[in-house]
């Protein structure tokens, strides 16, 4: 059996459903193919369940600190991990259900369950059925990377999908990978009561960030009792009774650590290895990401790649922006490009890190004349009032043009306050224009003009 459509969308992550909505509204006949869960990583195993669990962990942390605020809870804090899991799962299921209702009720949209594989550049096969369209949009996302490490196939190693399914607190969670996903789970489960060790191959955590940001994050985690093991050049795995031995070093001590559970969080890989791309000539890079141009088109006319699978962004918001770019170019007669996008993201430890634009290190590496302003969160009245003064703010600007290059806000509310800087970069604002803003008191954002005024 075969059917023809105006457009085929493979994958129901952040970009796919929204694109289906725009295309069908424009009068096109669309099919959206999903082999597992609607909503992609964000809804099912990423943002929504993990941030729900982060919220539960924050509640536990705040309850333990209740006495600092003059509040007596009257008994020792206990964690009901089954309820934590059930709450996160409900949030995921509610979102997935809402998305399914929207898509299945969408006029001119046919939702097909199954695995799509290319037959030719404009035809895919799903469960024996042939579907064709002049335009095909690949939105298949990614999954946790599992590199070939010594002993990894002889022990049970968890990934982010496994972690959001846990309904028990590990005795000792060993997190292999000291970056964004790993650190969020590390702090979260420490607050749930687990002993936690983070093992990182590199010389510091979150290698993408500036040294001062990385050092402060390390301090924040260590003060909560999380052990950090850096420069682990000899990572390996071995079953040791009921536990897992994780090797750290080959020569120096300590050489290993024992854990009841091991989370492997060493990056992501795209879900592009079973679509038949190579058979129809759709180009990928050495890591498997689909090669796209500035408008998200592949090397095959009429075929586009959106979201995590194209290697041009690794976030829900960048995937959604991919949809916006494609829709604007195809339907609105605009010219929007991926290269116009200003990077912005957050690390959801507590306090969170909000990031916009270039880091200081990136700006200096690019040879730009740099001005930097910093202030500790202890100077933020809102942080003092909340009793959450860890971290600092940093803004980076071009000394010659006056344009804001980037910022990092590591502190309470940093994931929200960073948007003032992100908006300013997008608008091409001079840094001194922000200096004379009059922000609301008491907020975290009110210190930004002070940081600007301290730039040198």
């Amino acid at each position: 059996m075969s059917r023809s459509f105006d457009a085929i969308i493979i994958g129901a992550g952040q970009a796919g459903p929204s694109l289906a909505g725009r295309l069908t509204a424009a009068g096109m006949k669309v099919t959206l193919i999903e082999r597992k869960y609607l909503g992609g990583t964000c809804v099912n195993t990423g943002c929504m369940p993990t941030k729900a669990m982060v919220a539960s962990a924050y509640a536990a942390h705040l309850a333990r600190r209740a006495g600092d605020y003059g509040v007596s809870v009257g008994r020792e804090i206990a964690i009901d991990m089954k309820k934590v899991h059930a709450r996160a799962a409900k949030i995921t299921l509610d979102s997935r259900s809402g998305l399914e209702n929207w898509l299945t009720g969408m006029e001119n949209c046919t939702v097909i369950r199954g695995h799509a594989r290319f037959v030719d550049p404009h035809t895919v096969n799903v469960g024996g059925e042939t579907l064709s369209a002049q335009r095909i949009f690949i939105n298949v996302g990614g999954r946790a990377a599992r590199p070939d490490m010594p002993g990894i196939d002889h022990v049970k190693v968890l990934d982010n999908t496994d972690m959001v399914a846990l309904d028990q607190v590990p005795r000792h969670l060993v997190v292999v990978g000291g970056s964004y996903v790993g650190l969020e789970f590390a702090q979260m489960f420490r607050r749930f009561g687990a002993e936690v060790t983070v093992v990182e191959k590199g010389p510091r955590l979150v290698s993408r960030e500036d040294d001062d940001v990385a050092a402060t994050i390390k301090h924040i985690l260590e003060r909560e009792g999380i052990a950090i093991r850096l420069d682990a050049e000899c990572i390996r795995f071995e079953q040791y009774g009921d536990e897992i031995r994780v090797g750290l070093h080959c020569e120096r001590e300590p050489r290993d650590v024992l854990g009841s559970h091991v989370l492997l969080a060493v990056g992501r890989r795209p879900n592009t290895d079973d679509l038949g791309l190579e058979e129809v000539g759709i180009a990928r890079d050495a890591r498997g990401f689909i090669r796209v141009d500035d408008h998200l088109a592949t090397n095959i006319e009429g075929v586009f790649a959106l979201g995590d699978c194209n290697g041009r962004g690794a976030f829900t918001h960048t995937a959604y922006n991919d949809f916006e770019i494609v829709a604007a170019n195809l339907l609105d007669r605009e010219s929007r490009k991926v290269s116009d996008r200003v990077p912005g993201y957050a690390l959801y430890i507590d306090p969170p890190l909000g990031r916009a634009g270039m880091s200081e290190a990136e700006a200096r590496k690019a040879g730009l004349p740099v001005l930097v302003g910093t202030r500790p969160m202890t100077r933020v009245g809102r942080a003092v009032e909340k009793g959450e003064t860890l971290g600092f703010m940093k803004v980076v600007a071009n000394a010659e043009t006056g344009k804001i290059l980037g910022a990092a806000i590591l502190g309470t509310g940093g994931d929200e306050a960073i948007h003032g800087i992100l908006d300013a970069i997008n608008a091409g604002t001079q840094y001194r224009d922000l200096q004379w803003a009059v922000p609301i008191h008491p907020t975290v954002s009110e210190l930004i003009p002070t940081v600007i005024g301290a730039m040198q």
Side-chain angles (χ1 to χ4, degrees), residues 307-328:
D308 294 3
C309 69
N310 64 25
R312 302 297 291 271
F315 306 102
T316 297
H317 52 277
T318 54
Y320 186 82
N321 184 238
D322 283 358
F323 143 68
E324 293 178 310
I325 291 169
V326 167

Side-chain angles (χ1 to χ4, degrees), residues 154-353:
H154 303 293
V155 297
K156 183 179 180 180
V157 175
L158 309 176
D159 60 20
N160 64 294
T161 300
D162 302 313
M163 293 302 293
V164 299
L166 281 183
D167 62 0
Q168 61 177 310
V169 177
R171 182 194 66 77
H172 184 183
L173 175 64
V174 180
V175 178
V176 178
S179 198
Y180 306 93
V181 172
L183 297 187
E184 289 179 16
F185 280 115
Q187 187 186 53
M188 178 199 308
F189 276 91
R190 177 59 184 156
R191 289 180 169 187
F192 288 149
E195 182 182 352
V196 177
T197 299
V198 175
V199 177
E200 168 55 41
K201 181 172 66 175
R204 61 185 180 88
L205 301 176
V206 284
S207 59
R208 180 176 179 176
E209 307 300 336
D210 287 332
D211 287 346
D212 52 358
V213 173
T216 304
I217 289 171
K218 182 173 181 287
H219 168 72
I220 288 169
L221 298 177
E222 286 182 327
R223 75 193 302 271
E224 293 194 26
I226 297 172
I228 309 291
R229 300 287 183 259
L230 302 176
D231 294 309
E233 86 288 353
C234 206
I235 299 176
R236 61 201 182 281
F237 305 93
E238 179 187 0
Q239 195 68 43
Y240 187 81
D242 293 335
E243 300 199 311
I244 300 171
R245 189 199 303 270
V246 180
L248 307 177
H249 309 297
C250 292
E251 302 297 335
R252 54 197 175 92
E253 299 294 339
R255 294 195 177 189
D256 51 42
V257 60
L258 286 176
S260 59
H261 296 69
V262 174
L263 165 62
L264 187 66
V266 292
R268 307 279 292 173
R269 59 177 297 184
N271 293 326
T272 60
D273 44 4
D274 55 1
L275 300 175
L277 302 181
E278 63 284 348
E279 297 171 16
V280 296
I282 297 174
R284 295 185 294 163
D285 67 15
R287 296 186 297 163
F289 292 103
I290 299 173
R291 296 185 184 275
V292 294
D293 64 15
D294 227 8
H295 297 96
L296 299 170
T298 70
N299 62 308
I300 301 296
E301 185 176 359
V303 180
F304 300 79
L306 300 82
D308 294 3
C309 69
N310 64 25
R312 302 297 291 271
F315 306 102
T316 297
H317 52 277
T318 54
Y320 186 82
N321 184 238
D322 283 358
F323 143 68
E324 293 178 310
I325 291 169
V326 167
N329 292 331
L330 292 181
L331 303 175
D332 302 329
R333 297 183 179 180
E334 296 182 10
S335 180
R336 295 187 61 176
K337 300 181 295 183
V338 178
S339 57
D340 292 334
R341 184 159 66 206
V342 177
Y345 57 89
L347 165 62
Y348 288 98
I349 59 167
D350 174 37
L353 167 68

Side-chain angles (χ1 to χ4, degrees), residues 409-453:
I409 302 180
L410 174 56
T412 183
D415 54 327
E416 294 288 350
I418 196 66
H419 285 92
I421 301 293
L422 187 59
D423 291 343
I425 298 174
N426 274 292
T429 303
Q430 300 278 317
Y431 75 88
R432 290 204 177 275
D433 291 337
L434 285 187
Q435 185 179 354
W436 306 118
V438 185
I440 296 169
H441 173 80
T443 62
V444 173
S445 297
E446 72 173 311
L447 198 71
I448 290 175
T450 302
V451 177
I452 296 291

Side-chain angles (χ1 to χ4, degrees), residues 379-395:
R379 293 282 299 275
V380 180
R382 183 68 167 164
V384 173
E385 292 150 9
K386 293 178 69 176
E388 299 178 355
T389 56
L390 295 173
F392 67 97
M393 294 183 178
K394 176 162 66 171
V395 179

Side-chain angles (χ1 to χ4, degrees), residues 69-96:
Y69 299 91
V71 177
S72 176
V73 296
R75 59 184 177 85
E76 187 175 341
I77 302 303
I79 304 297
D80 187 336
M81 198 62 201
K82 293 188 184 302
K83 285 188 176 180
V84 171
H85 173 261
R87 176 179 178 273
K90 184 179 185 304
I91 290 171
T92 286
L93 291 173
D94 287 349
S95 180
R96 190 194 302 163

